[in-house]
Amino acid sequence: MNTLTTPSASNWLNKVPEAALSFWIIKIMCTTVGETGADFLAVNAGLKPRAADDWHRLDKAIDPALSALRADAPNQTDCKKAMADLLSTFDSLQAKL
């Protein structure tokens, strides 16, 4: 008669540290590659914003627009105003960014 054998709990638990170690090795390698790529783009490719203050103004204009659009019950008037303000801010900075 054929019998099914099931792995014991101790065999299964022995694989957990191996999986966790593999996860952290891969995570560290991916993070390192990502950081290195970002540093390369920022330093060598010149992708830094020319006017950091203007980028902050634009970022601050994005927040109300997102809040209006993500509201539990979005109001069309509020959304239109927030988007108009965002576009106005973007247009005023377009030549600088």
Side-chain angles (χ1 to χ4, degrees), residues 2-66:
N2 293 338
T3 60
L4 278 168
T5 58
T6 58
S8 66
S10 62
N11 288 342
W12 182 79
L13 290 175
N14 286 337
K15 293 182 181 184
V16 172
E18 180 182 329
L21 178 63
S22 300
F23 167 79
W24 284 109
I25 289 172
I26 292 169
K27 179 172 176 44
I28 290 168
M29 289 187 326
C30 290
T31 302
T32 302
V33 169
E35 289 290 327
T36 302
D39 291 344
F40 171 78
L41 291 175
V43 174
N44 297 329
L47 293 180
K48 292 183 180 179
R50 292 182 220 153
D53 291 337
D54 291 340
W55 278 103
H56 291 294
R57 273 186 52 208
L58 183 60
D59 187 47
K60 287 181 181 179
I62 290 171
D63 292 338
L66 289 177

